[in-house]
Amino acid sequence: MRLKEKSPCKVNLLLNILGKRPDGFHGLETVMQPVNFCDELAFMRSGNGIRLSCSEKELPTDSKNLIFRAAENFLTTANISDGVKIHLEKKIPLAAGLGGGSGNAATTLLALNELFGQPLASEKLCEIAAALGSDIPFFLQDKPALATGRGEKIQPFENFPALKGKAFLLIHPGFGISTPWAYQNLARFPEALNGKAGRAKELISKLQTNDWPGIADALYNSLEAPALEKFPILGLFQEFLRANGALAALMSGSGSTTFAICESVLSAESVLEKFKSKFGENCWTAVVPIS
Ligand code: C5P
């Protein structure tokens, strides 16, 4: 049997860091929004061991890849000695703050559980996911969510009314930002490092309304402090997008992707045309409707 699955990405509508924890991770509150722009994964039971292939030659296909580690962890935990073949068609940009790798790992856990007859309960999958990476539990479900802890504690919400019928414009500048780098460099920005809890709840309540100036004001990302200082072009992107028809613009996760929220797909396409005539054609871009 062969299983084909889509592996979506996310943006962080808010990422508020609440200080460094004794274990080296950062406490945070984040509002994560699924984005229907997907990698494609194919899974097949085959022989023994894990064989991973990938359309993107830059990516490792051994235990350095989260898909490989997710599969390994799944097979060991479920006590399965059979092997799997996995193929990844990569469409989501790398080191982009869009959670592509985390989503791939979660999709792998869900797909293997299906392929092998659901040997693991969803609590167990969540446990494996959290051990593999802070963002991975979010991708085990498909709703917007408030994530707390180091990002692994998920409280799902129904789709936010403010986003209904709107569209994302995603812009990746052609360079990535390493997540550990962004967190380490936050140390130079004490205010951004030690945010006050409560901003997430405030944003979530605004997202039930259609008060766009208010929502745009409540979008926030602590990791912009180091990222926009090192890469000022990302700040210029946001200013341009806001001045040229976007309802709001922010960096997602640890960057480097900037996302804009636009009134409709048509509006996002028109903002994108203006963006290209100002900044050229070198960025990776996508327009994605929001359901
Ligand atoms: O958990 P994940 O593997 O995604 O984290 C990657 C890196 O990002 C960690 O090694 C750590 O440097 C940083 N991080 C953090 N606090 C978090 C999440 C990630 O410091 N809450």
Side-chain angles (χ1 to χ4, degrees):
M1 187 167 104
R2 189 180 149 91
L3 255 188
K4 281 182 96 171
E5 299 289 343
K6 288 204 181 298
S7 176
C9 60
K10 57 85 182 165
V11 293
N12 302 80
L13 299 174
L14 176 130
L15 176 53
N16 186 18
I17 310 279
L18 308 175
K20 193 163 181 180
R21 314 194 314 189
D23 65 0
F25 282 91
H26 291 75
L28 54 82
E29 52 173 13
T30 179
V31 181
M32 297 171 86
Q33 168 71 32
V35 177
N36 191 14
F37 184 88
C38 303
D39 290 335
E40 285 159 15
L41 278 158
F43 302 87
M44 214 168 79
R45 289 172 71 152
S46 151
N48 30 45
I50 300 158
R51 275 174 298 161
L52 173 63
S53 57
C54 180
S55 61
E56 170 67 60
K57 297 299 164 225
E58 238 183 83
L59 276 178
T61 50
D62 57 11
S63 64
K64 288 195 222 54
N65 191 306
L66 270 175
I67 295 174
F68 192 101
R69 289 216 292 283
E72 203 171 36
N73 217 314
F74 174 87
L75 294 174
T76 309
T77 310
N79 212 5
I80 290 168
S81 52
D82 292 5
V84 280
K85 242 165 88 173
I86 306 174
H87 180 73
L88 167 65
E89 279 295 317
K90 195 77 200 159
K91 316 249 190 224
I92 302 166
L94 309 178
L98 295 173
S102 298
N104 291 169
T107 302
T108 299
L109 292 174
L110 293 169
L112 294 188
N113 208 30
E114 186 171 340
L115 205 58
F116 288 98
Q118 310 286 352
L120 299 186
S122 59
E123 294 76 20
K124 198 75 205 166
L125 292 181
C126 280
E127 220 175 274
I128 300 175
L132 286 168
S134 310
D135 273 0
I136 302 177
F138 166 75
F139 287 103
L140 290 175
Q141 54 90 56
D142 59 2
K143 295 273 180 232
L146 167 65
T148 53
R150 60 180 168 86
E152 86 286 16
K153 293 185 184 142
I154 302 300
Q155 182 188 341
F157 284 84
E158 286 311 312
N159 290 342
F160 297 124
L163 296 183
K164 196 172 164 44
K166 307 284 190 297
F168 285 120
L169 168 56
L170 306 178
I171 298 173
H172 183 272
F175 56 83
I177 296 181
S178 131
T179 303
W181 176 89
Y183 276 100
Q184 277 157 24
N185 282 275
L186 195 58
R188 294 186 293 109
F189 301 88
E191 251 180 62
L193 171 63
N194 297 298
K196 267 185 45 197
R199 294 180 88 136
K201 289 251 159 73
E202 213 171 286
L203 173 65
I204 288 167
S205 97
K206 286 189 173 158
L207 286 165
Q208 311 304 321
T209 74
N210 211 23
D211 166 21
W212 269 97
I215 295 166
D217 230 31
L219 300 184
Y220 172 72
N221 184 346
S222 312
L223 293 175
E224 284 189 345
L228 271 55
E229 183 198 57
K230 176 149 191 205
F231 304 108
I233 186 82
L234 300 180
L236 298 180
F237 284 0
Q238 290 186 21
E239 279 170 33
F240 184 86
L241 293 165
R242 290 188 198 109
N244 285 277
L247 295 166
L250 196 76
M251 183 179 86
S252 182
S254 56
S256 57
T257 302
T258 299
F259 68 92
I261 302 171
C262 301
E263 194 61 65
S264 62
V265 166
L266 261 181
S267 157
E269 283 166 349
S270 134
V271 175
L272 175 57
E273 279 319 300
K274 291 183 205 157
F275 179 88
K276 283 182 178 169
S277 56
K278 170 81 176 171
F279 293 102
E281 302 266 346
N282 288 334
C283 292
W284 173 92
T285 61
V287 170
V288 189
I290 308 174
S291 51

